[in-house]
Amino acid sequence: AQRVTQPEKLLSVFKGAPVELKCNYSYSGSPELFWYVQYSRQRLQLLLRHISRESIKGFTADLNKGETSFHLKKPFAQEEDSAMYYCALARFGNEKLTFGTGTRLTIIP
Amino acid sequence: EAQVTQNPRYLITVTGKKLTVTCSQNMNHEYMSWYRQDPGLGLRQIYYSMNVEVTDKGDVPEGYKVSRKEKRNFPLILESPSPNQTSLYFCASSPLRRGNTGELFFGEGSRLTVL
């Protein structure tokens, strides 16, 4: 069975400091990993996916198969980054997403 | 505007009174899914549908039913709601095409309270 773990429910970071939201997964096959974000009063939306290897809003995430991790990072936090972040996993070629429990990120001005 | 629309957005009901939460998408997506969001538990999938007349259970299907008679609609039915179904519900859709796995488009959520 696939499983996604986000160990931090809450994370507070000062503006300008680096951010790292942790995500670990368990899955025996080839996973596809994603980060979703939910800003206050907005819909849950896709932030980035590992297959694209892109940087969105300054965030990056590298899939580490050896450590089964997909941590989300940003070098300099901004106030508008305050949101709820969910890590999610899908089996390759399958639409079913398994979400982690989420991390609420608060950026302290 | 391309979007997923849920109704009602807020509902308070009593135990045992059947209710339906509607979900509609205007993007011609094949895949649709229902999730519930609970504190400390994140998002858990209730049911999903790969296309018209094709539905399957997710991780927490007990107490729920769905139907997919039309491509755009995917209603969630609670035949006899109970207080443990008090939650925030999200509908999501996705096109089933190569290279797009995992990009779900979410509705705004429906907050349900069962007394």
Side-chain angles (χ1 to χ4, degrees):
Chain A
Q2 55 205 61
R3 185 171 181 159
V4 177
T5 303
Q6 292 180 251
E8 304 139 328
K9 286 188 178 179
L10 303 168
L11 182 64
S12 295
V13 173
F14 283 101
K15 179 181 172 181
V19 176
E20 184 179 49
L21 288 86
K22 291 185 168 49
C23 172
N24 289 89
Y25 67 91
S26 62
Y27 178 61
S28 56
S30 288
E32 294 196 54
L33 276 297
F34 309 86
W35 277 98
Y36 276 77
V37 61
Q38 188 173 28
Y39 300 104
S40 179
R41 298 189 187 86
Q42 292 189 30
R43 299 167 191 245
L44 193 61
Q45 58 188 284
L46 179 66
L47 179 63
L48 56 80
R49 65 188 106 186
H50 91 270
I51 234 170
S52 303
R53 296 178 178 275
E54 57 197 346
S55 171
I56 304 292
K57 299 185 179 183
F59 283 98
T60 58
D62 292 317
L63 178 60
N64 186 322
K65 290 189 178 180
E67 295 182 359
T68 60
S69 68
F70 188 57
H71 304 326
L72 184 67
K73 298 178 183 178
K74 184 169 182 176
F76 307 104
Q78 297 172 290
E79 288 185 63
E80 54 265 32
D81 295 330
S82 292
M84 189 76 174
Y85 291 80
Y86 288 97
C87 183
L89 176 152
R91 290 179 290 168
F92 182 75
N94 191 302
E95 295 301 314
K96 176 177 165 56
L97 275 180
T98 298
F99 286 86
T101 51
T103 298
R104 181 167 297 282
L105 175 65
T106 301
I107 306 303
I108 305 164
Chain B
E1 182 189 353
Q3 62 181 3
V4 178
T5 304
Q6 300 177 224
N7 280 295
R9 295 284 317 283
Y10 303 90
L11 179 64
I12 301 174
T13 190
V14 295
T15 299
K17 186 176 180 182
K18 179 181 178 179
L19 69 91
T20 299
V21 186
T22 64
C23 174
S24 181
Q25 51 94 5
N26 60 2
M27 296 171 280
N28 201 36
H29 287 168
E30 290 83 5
Y31 181 89
M32 296 186 76
S33 181
W34 276 102
Y35 288 86
R36 59 179 287 174
Q37 185 183 45
D38 301 290
L41 297 175
L43 284 155
R44 293 178 294 167
Q45 191 180 49
I46 303 170
Y47 268 94
Y48 65 97
S49 170
M50 301 291 281
N51 214 324
V52 176
E53 302 291 2
V54 181
T55 62
D56 209 346
K57 296 177 181 178
D59 299 314
V60 289
E62 294 78 19
Y64 304 95
K65 287 173 62 176
V66 292
S67 70
R68 187 92 182 271
K69 297 191 171 93
E70 304 164 284
K71 197 172 187 179
R72 63 183 292 126
N73 296 323
F74 190 46
L76 179 70
I77 303 153
L78 286 73
E79 293 272 1
S80 183
S82 62
N84 65 11
Q85 292 178 297
T86 292
S87 187
L88 179 58
Y89 292 86
F90 287 100
C91 181
S93 72
S94 173
L96 282 176
R97 58 173 184 253
R98 185 178 175 82
N100 208 65
T101 300
E103 182 167 12
L104 290 176
F105 294 81
F106 281 84
E108 292 183 285
S110 296
R111 186 167 293 282
L112 171 65
T113 301
V114 183
L115 301 175

